Amino acid sequence: MKHTRQNHTTVTEFVLMGFSNAPKLQSFLFATFLVIYMIILMGNSLIILITKTNRALHTPMYFFLRNLSFLEMGYTSVTLPRMLVNLWTQSRTISFSACATQMYFFLMFGSSECFLLAAMAYDRYVAICNPLQYSIIMDNKTCLQMAASSWIIGIPVLIGQTYQIFSLPFCDSNKLNHFFCDIPPVLELACGDTAMNELSVYAVALLFVTAPFLLILVSYIKIISTILNLPSATGRHKAFSTCSSHLIVVTLFFGSGIITYLCPKSSHSADVDKFLSLFYTIVIPVFNPMIYSLRNKEVTVALKKFLLRF
């Protein structure tokens, strides 16, 4: 808890400290993150292009994968370009309104990814546990509704939460010990009692992180139970292979997100927060196209055909 001071100066901008504690590595970090950003854009764009142009991949699973790739490009673009500018210019300031906007879009894309991963788990559940009804249950209308819901379900709640956080008084230090405007470092700078805001963060995290995760968990319990009862070893292997890519992405994304937003702040430091944020904002979007292409024969074949055209 921070006590409100009577004579405080209102904060109009923040300073993103980022990686300022490693001044000799600024050029190296800029080059590294620029290459990573280009890989993310090209890799996910390629997934979108392949799944859109190849008629064999016009199925619900690849429709959701296309949405996931598009979402991850937006998710990364909220944080990485700003970080690259800061590393290049060494000007680390960000205005109050720009910080609020960055936080909102980061949370919006993050919550959308949680629900989209849940929709993908449900798609795999229907495909494996109820294959005869799959085309009826997962028709075009249902897929569009699930994808649209994933994108818009969190908008009003997250607008409200962002407004609530940035309505707090900020005084004294305006130095954010992070590379973008995330909730924990912003709340650290707030004056006064932030207990209600922290409770609100936990409530929203339970709604937008834990709830989709539990839906995924239930889906995979039923999926694994069905697969283990399949009489053919080949059938079991094929069923597992269709789920393994999604399961890897879910583990990586939700694991880092739950540690960041649901674990007590005393259990990990600001440096650990930065590392975890790098993991789910940069590392996972880099590996997602690789995970889905290298572990999926249909995507691999479609990619080879696409490249052979050129």
Side-chain angles (χ1 to χ4, degrees):
M1 266 182 209
K2 301 179 183 69
H3 298 285
T4 305
R5 302 182 180 184
Q6 297 299 321
N7 300 318
H8 68 264
T9 304
T10 304
V11 171
T12 57
E13 63 181 21
F14 295 101
V15 179
L16 295 168
M17 300 305 291
F19 307 98
S20 58
N21 57 345
K24 295 181 180 179
L25 294 176
Q26 300 300 294
S27 298
F28 171 76
L29 289 172
F30 173 81
T32 302
F33 289 131
L34 179 61
V35 170
I36 288 173
Y37 186 47
M38 297 305 295
I39 291 171
I40 290 170
L41 293 181
M42 289 189 292
N44 284 288
S45 296
L46 198 56
I47 291 289
I48 292 170
L49 198 58
I50 290 168
T51 55
K52 186 69 177 175
T53 57
N54 193 307
R55 295 187 63 82
L57 302 183
H58 288 185
T59 63
M61 181 171 73
Y62 297 110
F63 169 75
F64 289 124
L65 178 57
R66 187 159 61 247
N67 272 267
L68 181 65
S69 293
F70 186 78
L71 190 152
E72 294 215 325
M73 286 195 293
Y75 188 64
T76 309
S77 296
V78 172
T79 56
L80 256 179
R82 183 87 200 193
M83 185 167 65
L84 290 169
V85 170
N86 292 347
L87 287 168
W88 180 257
T89 63
Q90 295 300 302
S91 174
R92 304 179 187 280
T93 58
I94 182 170
S95 69
F96 195 82
S97 57
C99 190
T101 303
Q102 187 183 55
M103 179 184 287
Y104 164 70
F105 279 104
F106 176 76
L107 295 175
M108 189 270 286
F109 282 121
S111 68
S112 297
E113 181 153 354
C114 291
F115 284 106
L116 192 60
L117 289 171
M120 294 173 79
Y122 177 73
D123 171 68
R124 292 299 84 208
Y125 160 73
V126 176
I128 292 171
C129 300
N130 198 1
L132 297 179
Q133 299 292 316
Y134 179 72
S135 59
I136 298 172
I137 296 172
M138 298 302 294
D139 59 7
N140 290 337
K141 183 181 178 181
T142 302
C143 292
L144 284 170
Q145 288 174 342
M146 290 173 73
S149 299
S150 299
W151 280 94
I152 66 175
I153 195 169
I155 289 176
V157 176
L158 296 172
I159 288 176
Q161 184 171 69
T162 305
Y163 176 78
Q164 183 188 46
I165 290 170
F166 283 88
S167 296
L168 290 167
F170 293 91
C171 53
D172 296 333
S173 176
N174 66 340
K175 295 180 179 179
L176 279 173
N177 188 17
H178 216 288
F179 59 89
F180 71 98
C181 294
D182 201 3
I183 292 176
V186 171
L187 284 179
E188 283 289 326
L189 299 183
C191 296
D193 184 4
T194 61
M196 287 303 296
N197 298 90
E198 290 173 12
L199 186 62
S200 171
V201 170
Y202 280 114
V204 172
L206 285 170
L207 181 63
F208 293 132
V209 179
T210 309
F213 180 73
L214 290 175
L215 289 172
I216 293 168
L217 192 62
V218 170
S219 297
Y220 271 102
I221 288 171
K222 293 187 176 183
I223 287 169
I224 292 169
S225 175
T226 302
I227 290 173
L228 292 175
N229 289 325
L230 292 175
S232 166
T234 305
R236 288 194 295 271
H237 176 75
K238 185 178 179 181
F240 270 122
S241 67
T242 63
C243 300
S244 58
S245 301
H246 180 254
L247 202 53
I248 291 169
V249 172
V250 165
T251 304
L252 294 173
F253 182 78
F254 279 96
S256 54
I258 287 170
I259 293 170
T260 302
Y261 293 102
L262 290 176
C263 288
K265 286 191 285 186
S266 58
S267 65
H268 48 87
S269 66
D271 288 334
V272 173
D273 275 342
K274 277 195 276 190
F275 172 77
L276 290 169
S277 298
L278 276 175
F279 194 78
Y280 61 73
T281 58
I282 296 173
V283 176
I284 295 174
V286 167
F287 284 108
N288 273 5
M290 299 179 193
I291 291 169
Y292 278 105
S293 59
L294 295 176
R295 297 186 63 85
N296 191 307
K297 289 182 179 178
E298 289 178 320
V299 176
T300 305
V301 170
L303 178 60
K304 287 178 179 177
K305 287 181 179 178
F306 179 80
L307 294 175
L308 284 172
R309 293 178 188 176
F310 298 93

